[in-house]
Amino acid sequence: MELFQYPYMQRALIAALIIGLAAPALGIYLVQRRLALIGDGIGHVALTGVGAGLLLNRSPVLVAVIVATLGAIAIELVRSRGRTSGDLALALLFYGGIAGGVMLVGLSHSPSANLNAYLFGSLTTISPGDLTTIVVLGAVILVAMLVLRPALFAVSHDEEYARVSGLPVRTLNMLIAITTAVTVTIAMRAVGVLLISALMVVPVASAQQVTRGFRTTMTAAMALGLFAAGSGVWVAATADTAPGASVVLMAIASFLVVALAAAGWRVLRRRRVPAAAAPAAPEPHEVVLG
Amino acid sequence: MNPPVIAVAHAAVGYDGRAVLRDVSLTVTAGEVVAVLGANGSGKSTLIRSVLGLVPLSAGSVSLFDRPLRRFRQWERIGYVPQRLGAGGGVPATVREVVAAGRLARRGILRPPGAADRAAVDSALRAVGLTDRANDAVATLSGGQQQRTLIARALAGRPELLVLDEPTAGVDAASQEAFAAALRDFVTDGGTVLLVAHELGPLRPVISRAIVVHEGGICHDGPVPEPAGHHAEPDHDHVHPHCPDEPARLWSI
């Protein structure tokens, strides 16, 4: 605990907690629209932004925000066109992004150009300025995801219905794409581009094993994200492990705990309630459950 | 004569160069309950999807409530019921949450739901008989109950026009009855309905006019056609009629 007296550890903890809260709040919409791995792809693109920032001697995080946002817009345009070649276009973007990043970081010859810090996170080197960026952008993401929840839920759940409801579907989709880019870039400092998707997706995957509704899933996922971030930084500080990896492993550990608990609960309930209870109403054979 | 709610003029739709609808014209006036019938692949779903702007027209025009589709903004006047609920990425949602999405057209995306929204959702759930399942996950419902959830979502927005894409396909008898009752109430209150159906079943008495789509064109527009031949047998619910230009053995025995 003594370690948390140092300002750099306090900054690390605050940054991790904010990202732990914001990443699942966005991630739930990505999971719902089957884009669970999009954060990973945008992370690859963000790496080119880091390289460009280092090369141009500008803030790598700021340039990464811009490049990742452009990448996210491109991905969203490919997705909304619904072309079969979308898969390949995404692959080009992802691998182009990471190759560009590695090349530009190498070219920059900058002493601070530690590629690992961006690939796997470097929570303990967050400056007060970085923290301000993370707090402000994290708050914006959280407010947007919570205030617009009914609309974003409708768009992610049933896009055609949302269109017939007169919702600004294209704008909302763009908002999710841009928010993903921003979340990826602020989380890059904490867990690194290669582990970002985990914080967006794993808490949602854990929560949805035991929840029945969207709102409760979102709340539970945010709580689990917060827990993974807090406990991960604590583990990192006490056991001197890599903070980003510790946070992600804590998220995965809580997934396993929830999965086992849910399975155990189901077995218990089945024993208590005999199988004869509440037979399902007969359905015509051609029914396909959505 | 009542004002037109839907006006389709010389509409054509094609996918990848293949014509799905050819020169279709159709007017639905306020208070009508119009069933679009036809065989699979006849273009009946495409017809109603193009009315809603979900499928672009390659020629012709669509007007809703006397406004060209492109400039139509009063989406709260329309309730749309798709064929089925998508599975999504597996994030659970309760029946109430899905139905509450039907209020967005009226409320807008920024205003939080209020008492009026909750009351509308409650009464829509009651109308389809799902009040006791309101807090259950939609994915745990039967196919028929999921379909009723989608109808409740459309009703929650208090629309003037309901557009339904095969609302009774593969739905159990109890859900069909619940749906027919909900539709009757909607029509009694002055609502207009356009629905695609493969079988009418308990809906039959509610329908005021039938349109038969065949190979991308309308080949019948008038009263609900009587089933012919073995289609008229009591256990045969297959009411979509065949067009006169089809081989006679299909049409009559």
Side-chain angles (χ1 to χ4, degrees), chain A residues 217-233:
Chain A
T217 308
M218 191 171 184
T219 313
M222 287 167 69
L224 285 168
L226 201 63
F227 165 77
S231 59
V233 171

Side-chain angles (χ1 to χ4, degrees), chain B residues 145-233:
Chain B
Q145 289 168 329
Q146 290 189 359
Q147 199 61 44
R148 275 146 74 186
T149 306
L150 298 183
I151 291 159
R153 175 174 71 177
L155 290 174
R158 304 257 156 89
E160 293 161 54
L161 166 67
L162 268 184
V163 178
L164 310 100
D165 196 353
E166 302 234 17
T168 53
V171 165
D172 55 284
S175 285
Q176 286 207 26
E177 289 294 344
F179 169 59
L183 204 61
R184 253 194 312 274
D185 292 345
F186 178 75
V187 173
T188 311
D189 294 342
T192 309
V193 179
L194 178 67
L195 66 88
V196 164
H198 201 67
E199 322 171 341
L200 288 180
L203 295 182
R204 201 180 170 80
V206 195
I207 308 293
S208 63
R209 184 175 141 210
I211 283 164
V212 181
V213 180
H214 178 66
E215 287 182 358
I218 290 178
C219 70
H220 169 96
D221 187 346
V224 181
E226 285 307 316
H230 66 100
H231 287 198
E233 286 161 20

Side-chain angles (χ1 to χ4, degrees), chain B:
Chain B
M1 177 134 165
N2 285 332
V5 172
I6 300 171
V8 181
H10 308 292
V13 174
Y15 294 126
D16 302 325
R18 194 173 60 87
V20 180
L21 286 183
R22 271 181 287 243
D23 193 28
V24 169
S25 296
L26 163 72
T27 305
V28 177
T29 56
E32 277 193 290
V33 182
V34 178
V36 180
L37 308 169
N40 286 334
S42 58
K44 56 190 195 307
S45 270
T46 305
L47 172 59
I48 68 153
R49 289 166 57 78
S50 62
V51 164
L52 296 171
L54 293 172
V55 173
L57 294 182
S58 53
S61 66
V62 170
S63 299
L64 293 170
F65 295 98
D66 262 340
R67 235 163 214 273
L69 187 58
R70 196 175 302 168
R71 280 189 280 130
F72 181 74
R73 295 288 176 275
Q74 303 163 309
W75 291 103
E76 70 279 0
R77 299 175 80 173
I78 297 179
Y80 169 52
V81 181
Q83 244 176 52
R84 55 174 43 102
L85 191 68
V91 179
T94 63
V95 171
R96 174 177 285 279
E97 282 173 328
V98 173
V99 174
R103 294 297 295 171
L104 280 167
R106 220 160 254 292
R107 192 173 80 226
I109 58 171
L110 286 171
R111 192 149 25 114
D117 295 305
R118 278 188 289 277
V121 170
D122 284 337
S123 82
L125 285 168
R126 221 174 304 124
V128 299
L130 281 179
T131 305
D132 55 333
R133 302 300 302 266
N135 294 319
D136 289 345
V138 183
T140 63
L141 267 53
S142 74
Q145 289 168 329
Q146 290 189 359
Q147 199 61 44
R148 275 146 74 186
T149 306
L150 298 183
I151 291 159
R153 175 174 71 177
L155 290 174
R158 304 257 156 89
E160 293 161 54
L161 166 67
L162 268 184
V163 178
L164 310 100
D165 196 353
E166 302 234 17
T168 53
V171 165
D172 55 284
S175 285
Q176 286 207 26
E177 289 294 344
F179 169 59
L183 204 61
R184 253 194 312 274
D185 292 345
F186 178 75
V187 173
T188 311
D189 294 342
T192 309
V193 179
L194 178 67
L195 66 88
V196 164
H198 201 67
E199 322 171 341
L200 288 180
L203 295 182
R204 201 180 170 80
V206 195
I207 308 293
S208 63
R209 184 175 141 210
I211 283 164
V212 181
V213 180
H214 178 66
E215 287 182 358
I218 290 178
C219 70
H220 169 96
D221 187 346
V224 181
E226 285 307 316
H230 66 100
H231 287 198
E233 286 161 20
D235 60 339
H236 195 110
D237 222 7
H238 191 92
V239 298
H240 76 83
H242 300 267
C243 286
D245 61 349
E246 280 184 59
R249 63 193 159 78
L250 280 179
W251 184 231
S252 59
I253 290 175

Side-chain angles (χ1 to χ4, degrees), chain A residues 29 32-33 148-163 165 167 169 172 214, chain B residues 97-98 100-102 104 109 153:
Chain A
Y29 301 110
Q32 200 185 20
R33 43 177 56 202
L148 291 174
R149 189 185 62 224
L152 292 173
F153 165 74
V155 169
S156 310
H157 191 246
D158 189 342
E159 194 167 311
E160 288 199 338
Y161 182 80
R163 232 188 298 164
S165 297
L167 298 187
V169 171
L172 290 168
F214 190 82
Chain B
E97 282 173 328
V98 173
L104 280 167
I109 58 171
R153 175 174 71 177

Side-chain angles (χ1 to χ4, degrees), chain A residues 120 190-191 194-199 202-203 206 224-225 227-233 235-236 239 241-258:
Chain A
F120 301 107
V191 292
L194 294 182
L195 293 174
I196 265 161
S197 255
L199 262 189
V202 175
S206 312
L224 285 168
F227 165 77
S231 59
V233 171
V235 166
T241 53
S246 311
V247 167
V248 171
L249 285 177
M250 286 310 286
I252 290 173
S254 51
F255 174 86
L256 292 176
V257 169
V258 173

